Amino acid sequence: MKGRVICAVIAALLPGIGSLGAVPSAEARVSLEKCTLCHGKPEFRKILVDGKIRDLFVTADTLKGSVHEKKTCVDCHFDISEIPHRERPRRIACTHCHYKGNAEGAPQSDAYLAYFDSVHGKAIAKGNSKAPLCQDCHGNHNILKAKNPEAAVARTKVAETCGRCHIEIYAQYKTSIHGVALGKGIVEAPSCTGCHGEHKIYGHEDPKSTVYATHVADQCSKCHASVSVMGKFGIETEQVATYKESFHGVASQFGSRTVANCASCHGTHDIRPAEDPLSSVNPKNVPKTCGKCHPGANPNFAVGKMHIDAKKKEAGIVYYVASFFKYLTIGTMLALIAHIFLDMYGRTRRLRGEK
Amino acid sequence: MRVDEKREPLQEIIEKEIEAALAEETAHLDPEKAAELREKIRRRVREEMEREIRLRTAAERREEERRRREERRREKRHEEGEMFQRFNRNFRFQHIVMFTSVILLIITGMPIKFPNFILSRFVVAMWGGIGNSTIVHRIGAGMLIYFMVHHLFYTILSRDGRRDFMLLIPMPKDVRDAARNIRYFLGRTTEKPRFGRFSYIEKFDYWAVYWGCVIMIGSGALLWGESIALKFFPKFVLDIAHEAHSDEALLATLAIVIWHFYNVHFNPDRFPGTLMWWHGQISEHEMKDHHPLEYEEIMAKRAKQEAAEVINR
């Protein structure tokens, strides 16, 4: 009696177990055919209330070439169950698959977790519908690996991607020395993500940010202190060391946010070489740039080198002042210490009873 | 109570005398007027006497206290002998202002010169960040500037200041003293150099502080008022000020910590330091040992005064 019941249960379950492997692929094909019924028509689009046109044209080739080539519509648009859709389909949640330990074959990385803490992730959490989700930067159907130069997040393309929202900054960046260099195909030049980070982008007033006032010098020096990078373009690397020795650099290291960092003088997105008349460190503009913090800086002030190293002869008079004090200190201290030791020697002699 | 006991007999005698004198003076006046006048004078005299006695007893008490302290000290260290006033109150005040300001300046300034030194971060954090640390540095700077101005006025206006300044001017004798002192250290001569009020060591300290103050205050003022300085000078002037300020700070710190501390603290004669900066007094023993010429001068002056007193008497 008991055995029969178990057999019956197993018999009832068998078809279900068999269908687990076979059904999804069949269903996927079905779903694609069903979707392209409407979405396959080139004129299939929606006019939004603000007059914008949302193109809804999708074919079987849309995902071709992207990293999701083998996926089908409902793998991501899994909330769609009815045709025509009664409700507006929701935005895609990439984390449905992209988490560490997933069984879908998505990259095993939790780098995306940083996004939720970032300025963009927080804006989303606050309900800002304009803040970007994954697909706003990485693309919708045409997602490519970041290493692929065609990807929206590729090094040469990412500025354009960010610029879709940050238009003014993109315009500044594009004409800056970094933007121009990257445009010429110099891959060492930083794009947006080079300074701001990728997923962990924070507002510049957030202490976690790589462009927080006290972190700017470190961020710039990642490239500018490296002889192997700067050597290729004939740019000096001692700027970093001379800044760190100056009062600005020291106070910044101790956490002062009011002193000048690299960006205070050289600009942020609009960094240009000093020879450029539009540059904030062009001798003509130096009084104005210094005047931001030190009101009344005169044109005279711009004469001479800004980043000086007192230990080198190029520093001119400062070098000689430093040398004077160096030898004065050594000489004086040697004489004084010699006097002290002679005194102690004499005392020892007298203690021993020698005359 | 004791004061009253002391006062009673004295007061009685004096009052009797006054009474007698008054009676003599007012004999020719009519009795009513005389009584009134007598009463008035008596009251006035009593007030005056009480005041004087009060003052005298206070001064006596202080004097008595001082004498007893002196005796105790003499019993304890009989070899030191009499105490001489070496530095006056004004001079000690200047020294206290100066070392307070210099300590503040060093502990707030050195972390800026050596930001990578391991303690620097803690020292800056102790003040609550670089912002506060720079404010404390400016307070120290203000004190040092005050000290400098005070000392200039002291040198010009005070008699002691003028005398000390004249005695602090380097003389050929100082070179001879230094040479002899070194020979004495080496055992080439058994005779110590005989110093006056200021030895060549003290003269060096004095002029080192002068030089240090001029450099530090001059360059520090440029860096403090950098926005004003930028209006008139090219950048290299501020660079020089920055370099000089930083280098002279190191020199001054080393000189204080090594040289001055050895001479006044770690030196076996003085270890772990004396309270001369507080009471300004020097014992006869030390006086004879370190400033024999000054001691002799004081003794000669005293002998002359005593002789003069004898003659006057």
Side-chain angles (χ1 to χ4, degrees):
Chain A
M1 187 66 194
K2 223 179 184 180
R4 263 195 212 166
V5 173
I6 293 169
C7 283
V9 171
I10 290 170
L13 284 175
L14 266 175
I17 291 166
S19 66
L20 275 179
V23 170
S25 61
E27 231 176 41
R29 232 180 298 119
V30 170
S31 88
L32 182 63
E33 277 163 24
K34 279 185 191 163
C35 295
T36 49
L37 271 178
C38 302
H39 287 279
K41 294 173 187 159
E43 71 279 7
F44 194 68
R45 58 173 67 134
K46 190 176 178 185
I47 296 168
L48 302 175
V49 270
D50 56 358
K52 280 183 189 159
I53 293 168
R54 187 189 284 271
D55 195 5
L56 299 171
F57 174 61
V58 179
T59 66
D61 293 339
T62 304
L63 287 177
K64 199 157 260 175
S66 83
V67 291
H68 294 139
E69 202 170 19
K70 289 182 182 150
K71 299 287 170 189
T72 64
C73 307
V74 290
D75 283 341
C76 298
H77 298 278
F78 48 79
D79 57 322
I80 291 169
S81 54
E82 284 176 300
I83 301 173
H85 322 311
R86 192 173 295 183
E87 282 174 16
R88 192 189 152 194
R90 271 185 276 152
R91 299 191 80 177
I92 303 303
C94 301
T95 48
H96 192 62
C97 299
H98 288 269
Y99 55 89
K100 206 167 192 179
N102 69 76
E104 304 286 335
Q108 300 285 347
S109 157
D110 54 5
Y112 70 94
L113 283 175
Y115 164 82
F116 295 105
D117 193 34
S118 77
V119 68
H120 292 140
K122 281 199 176 142
I124 289 275
K126 277 182 195 160
N128 183 346
S129 62
K130 283 182 181 168
L133 280 170
C134 313
Q135 56 267 42
D136 290 307
C137 299
H138 289 273
N140 305 321
H141 294 122
N142 54 341
I143 296 176
L144 297 171
K145 289 214 152 132
K147 277 175 192 157
N148 189 329
E150 291 301 311
V153 292
R155 195 160 203 159
T156 46
K157 283 251 182 117
V158 72
E160 207 183 316
T161 305
C162 298
R164 287 213 303 265
C165 299
H166 302 280
I167 296 170
E168 280 176 28
I169 292 170
Y170 176 61
Q172 283 181 349
Y173 168 77
K174 200 68 191 158
T175 53
S176 79
I177 179 84
H178 292 142
V180 169
L182 199 63
K184 280 184 192 163
I186 296 170
V187 288
E188 283 87 352
S191 189
C192 310
T193 52
C195 302
H196 291 274
E198 289 155 5
H199 291 113
K200 19 187 170 187
I201 296 173
Y202 301 99
H204 68 88
E205 274 167 5
D206 188 331
K208 282 179 286 185
S209 171
T210 52
V211 292
Y212 185 64
T214 55
H215 298 166
V216 167
D218 286 338
Q219 195 63 16
C220 296
S221 60
K222 274 185 186 165
C223 299
H224 280 273
S226 156
V227 180
S228 60
V229 176
M230 290 301 122
K232 285 184 197 169
F233 314 106
I235 301 170
E236 287 171 41
T237 52
E238 64 180 21
Q239 258 66 340
V240 175
T242 50
Y243 169 72
K244 287 203 167 153
E245 275 169 24
S246 74
F247 179 72
H248 288 154
V250 171
S252 176
Q253 272 164 273
F254 283 128
S256 169
R257 283 180 289 145
T258 45
V259 293
N261 54 47
C262 313
S264 317
C265 304
H266 291 273
T268 48
H269 301 111
D270 51 347
I271 299 171
R272 288 157 186 270
E275 302 82 56
D276 189 329
L278 286 176
S279 165
S280 56
V281 292
N282 185 281
K284 264 188 216 155
N285 300 329
V286 161
K288 205 180 125 209
T289 304
C290 296
K292 285 195 289 187
C293 301
H294 305 288
N298 70 350
N300 202 6
F301 187 72
V303 177
K305 241 179 131 188
M306 281 293 152
H307 287 264
I308 57 152
D309 184 358
K311 290 184 201 80
K312 290 194 178 148
K313 255 195 175 157
E314 294 91 81
I317 189 162
V318 182
Y319 165 77
Y320 294 105
V321 170
S323 311
F324 167 71
F325 274 104
K326 191 168 108 189
Y327 293 115
L328 180 72
T329 306
I330 293 172
T332 314
M333 289 325 294
L334 279 181
L336 296 184
I337 290 168
H339 192 281
I340 289 170
F341 277 107
L342 282 172
D343 186 9
M344 290 200 275
Y345 170 74
R347 281 170 196 280
T348 324
R349 280 176 64 93
R350 268 170 276 140
L351 273 181
R352 285 203 200 114
E354 295 170 35
K355 279 285 164 182
Chain B
M1 267 325 278
R2 246 176 57 207
V3 175
D4 284 348
E5 283 165 15
K6 233 194 220 171
R7 190 168 64 185
E8 280 307 320
L10 187 75
Q11 213 165 349
E12 269 170 33
I13 295 163
I14 294 171
E15 265 176 39
K16 269 180 198 156
E17 274 180 21
I18 292 168
E19 209 64 24
L22 266 179
E24 201 180 303
E25 283 292 309
T26 53
H28 60 282
L29 291 169
D30 57 306
E32 221 176 89
K33 235 180 179 178
E36 201 182 305
L37 192 66
R38 222 174 286 153
E39 189 53 39
K40 213 172 164 186
I41 291 172
R42 206 175 286 142
R43 208 167 51 231
R44 183 79 187 83
V45 166
R46 193 168 296 140
E47 272 173 22
E48 197 61 27
M49 259 166 54
E50 273 174 9
R51 201 177 70 84
E52 193 172 313
I53 286 167
R54 219 167 30 235
L55 276 179
R56 197 194 296 159
T57 49
E60 272 171 6
R61 269 205 304 277
R62 273 205 301 276
E63 181 63 22
E64 180 65 26
E65 185 67 24
R66 203 190 63 76
R67 228 182 2 249
R68 239 181 293 143
R69 223 179 320 140
E70 187 76 0
E71 262 167 34
R72 271 207 304 275
R73 198 188 57 73
R74 217 170 279 167
E75 271 170 33
K76 237 163 95 185
R77 301 192 195 155
H78 52 89
E79 80 278 8
E80 282 184 4
E82 190 191 347
M83 291 302 264
F84 292 88
Q85 191 72 30
R86 179 157 169 77
F87 298 124
N88 63 24
R89 194 185 289 177
N90 191 326
F91 196 84
R92 282 176 277 149
F93 170 72
Q94 291 173 41
H95 180 245
I96 290 170
V97 169
M98 180 183 68
F99 77 64
T100 313
S101 81
V102 169
I103 289 170
L104 285 179
L105 290 166
I106 288 176
I107 59 177
T108 53
M110 277 300 142
I112 295 175
K113 185 162 173 62
F114 300 107
N116 297 322
F117 181 58
I118 199 151
L119 283 178
S120 300
R121 270 177 36 227
F122 296 105
V123 174
V124 171
M126 183 180 84
W127 301 108
I130 186 80
N132 294 356
S133 170
T134 50
I135 290 170
V136 175
H137 196 79
R138 280 156 172 77
I139 291 170
M143 284 169 73
L144 193 71
I145 292 168
Y146 166 76
F147 154 73
M148 194 72 189
V149 173
H150 184 134
H151 184 72
L152 283 178
F153 277 110
Y154 173 76
T155 308
I156 296 165
L157 298 180
S158 124
R159 184 182 292 173
D160 283 354
R162 283 195 298 267
R163 181 202 58 185
D164 283 354
F165 186 81
M166 295 313 284
L167 290 173
L168 277 162
I169 294 170
M171 290 291 177
K173 180 182 180 294
D174 295 314
V175 182
R176 287 201 299 275
D177 281 353
R180 174 180 277 193
N181 212 9
I182 286 165
R183 270 174 41 225
Y184 173 69
F185 292 154
L186 291 171
R188 299 278 170 82
T189 168
T190 51
E191 255 181 276
K192 253 174 133 177
R194 290 163 63 77
F195 298 126
R197 181 162 165 77
F198 297 110
S199 70
Y200 70 93
I201 294 171
E202 286 159 318
K203 287 187 187 183
F204 173 83
D205 283 0
Y206 180 81
W207 291 108
V209 172
Y210 234 98
W211 156 261
C213 277
V214 168
I215 298 276
M216 297 310 280
I217 292 174
S219 60
L222 279 178
L223 297 169
W224 190 345
E226 92 288 344
S227 289
I228 300 163
L230 291 188
K231 280 184 193 166
F232 303 105
F233 304 113
K235 182 172 174 282
F236 73 83
V237 173
L238 279 181
D239 285 334
I240 291 169
H242 182 254
E243 191 60 41
H245 199 79
S246 152
D247 293 348
E248 174 60 29
L250 183 65
L251 174 55
T253 307
L254 287 176
I256 290 166
V257 172
I258 295 176
W259 176 245
H260 189 62
F261 277 19
Y262 176 75
N263 286 331
V264 300
H265 293 292
F266 302 126
N267 183 322
D269 286 350
R270 299 223 170 110
F271 187 82
T274 67
L275 278 174
M276 206 200 282
W277 63 274
W278 180 254
H279 53 54
Q281 287 173 344
I282 185 168
S283 68
E284 195 176 349
H285 168 75
E286 244 186 311
M287 195 73 168
K288 279 179 188 164
D289 200 22
H290 296 299
H291 307 283
L293 292 182
E294 191 195 5
Y295 178 72
E296 279 162 19
E297 206 173 295
I298 290 174
M299 285 300 130
K301 207 187 230 170
R302 235 182 235 180
K304 213 167 148 193
Q305 247 170 19
E306 271 165 21
E309 267 172 32
V310 169
I311 290 165
N312 283 350
R313 230 177 263 161

